[in-house]
Amino acid sequence: MAMLAPALTIARYTVLEALRSRLLWLFVLAACAGAGLAGFLQQLALTESGAVQAALLAAVLRLASVFLLAAFIVTSMAREAADKGLELLLALPMPRWAYLLGKLLGYAALAAVPAVLFGALMSAFAAPAASALWAASLLGELWIMAAFSLLCAASLQQALPALAATGGFYVLARTVGSLQLLAHGPQAGPSWPRQTMAGAVDVLALLLPRLDDFTRTEWLLYATGSWHAAAHIAAQTAIYVTLLASCALCDFYRRNI
């Protein structure tokens, strides 16, 4: 336990930094804005207005939580590097892995805030069990994105490239399933450029997490979620968080700070 004390201290101060940066208020503001937008669009729907409202609200909350958390991680790491805070921390008798582990634990704790808050909000529009599964899946999605944002921020050391890489990763992980369907569809044809492209998409799908399986809206609308889906998501979360954290740790030890 004594070995984890520096990591827990880093995690505590990471959460305090988020509180002072008003990140939690931004999550609350995003929930209010999403509810207002969904309520407005519900009035425009001709049929199934409740389902339209729940689907739009779920999509807005998922995107807002990923964007706000990734933006905080990247800008926080970039600011700490610019202020020489990283050098100051590493000058202390503390291994580098404790610093990264503390950051990851702090960001994981912060990710629980939108997952719980938005899950509670969605329970007003869907069954409580379906909302709980949706919230747990959102937490896994946020943990993966937090680990990738930490990797980008620690490796690229610049806010804009790190944010662009994080956004590209999220879009690809969300759409790689659809890209596979398009690449192997009947209109693809037997030509070698299309087959090459289909092979490249398959390789990409093997490397990326299947975030399109996470936080599915139909769980809320039709209660199609199951414990099997939850176990699949938990396994993906554990694998990718471990891989991404290991990559960040390797790069962190490699750098001359």
Side-chain angles (χ1 to χ4, degrees):
M1 191 64 186
M3 293 179 61
L4 293 178
L8 295 176
T9 302
I10 295 289
R12 176 170 170 266
Y13 279 98
T14 300
V15 173
L16 287 177
E17 180 188 0
L19 293 175
R20 291 165 181 160
S21 302
R22 306 292 191 272
L23 178 63
L24 303 190
W25 285 109
L26 288 178
F27 286 134
V28 174
L29 183 62
C32 295
L37 178 63
F40 171 72
L41 294 177
Q42 181 197 21
Q43 304 302 318
L44 303 179
L46 298 179
T47 60
E48 298 185 338
S49 56
V52 170
Q53 185 180 24
L56 288 173
L57 181 59
V60 169
L61 294 181
R62 185 180 63 236
L63 287 176
S65 57
V66 170
F67 172 76
L68 290 176
L69 184 66
F72 171 74
I73 293 172
V74 169
T75 55
S76 170
M77 295 284 291
R79 183 174 59 249
E80 192 171 84
D83 294 343
K84 305 299 181 184
L86 178 60
E87 286 84 346
L88 180 62
L89 286 173
L90 294 182
L92 299 173
M94 175 179 63
R96 294 191 178 192
W97 65 263
Y99 171 80
L100 272 185
L101 179 61
K103 285 289 184 184
L104 193 59
L105 289 176
Y107 297 143
L110 290 175
V113 175
V116 173
L117 176 64
F118 295 166
L121 179 60
M122 290 309 304
S123 65
F125 301 89
S131 301
L133 179 60
W134 184 87
S137 176
L138 178 62
L139 182 60
E141 183 172 340
L142 291 176
W143 280 353
I144 292 176
M145 292 308 301
F148 188 80
S149 300
L150 178 64
L151 170 63
C152 291
S155 302
L156 300 176
Q157 304 178 40
Q158 296 289 333
L160 188 57
L163 279 175
T166 303
F169 173 82
Y170 185 69
V171 170
L172 278 177
R174 268 275 163 196
T175 59
V176 70
S178 302
L179 293 177
Q180 272 190 302
L181 289 177
L182 291 173
H184 293 282
Q187 73 281 5
S191 62
W192 68 266
R194 292 181 182 277
Q195 290 179 348
T196 303
M197 184 176 297
V201 172
D202 289 340
V203 172
L204 198 61
L206 286 174
L207 297 175
L208 293 173
R210 292 297 299 266
L211 292 186
D212 52 335
D213 291 336
F214 286 58
T215 327
R216 299 181 71 91
T217 303
E218 56 260 35
W219 295 347
L220 300 169
L221 302 183
Y222 311 113
T224 55
S226 64
W227 287 110
H228 179 266
H232 178 65
I233 287 169
Q236 280 202 70
T237 302
I239 291 171
Y240 279 97
V241 168
T242 303
L243 285 175
L244 292 171
S246 300
C247 291
L249 189 61
C250 290
D251 181 75
F252 203 49
Y253 270 97
R254 180 186 59 81
R255 287 167 48 196
N256 184 19
I257 300 175

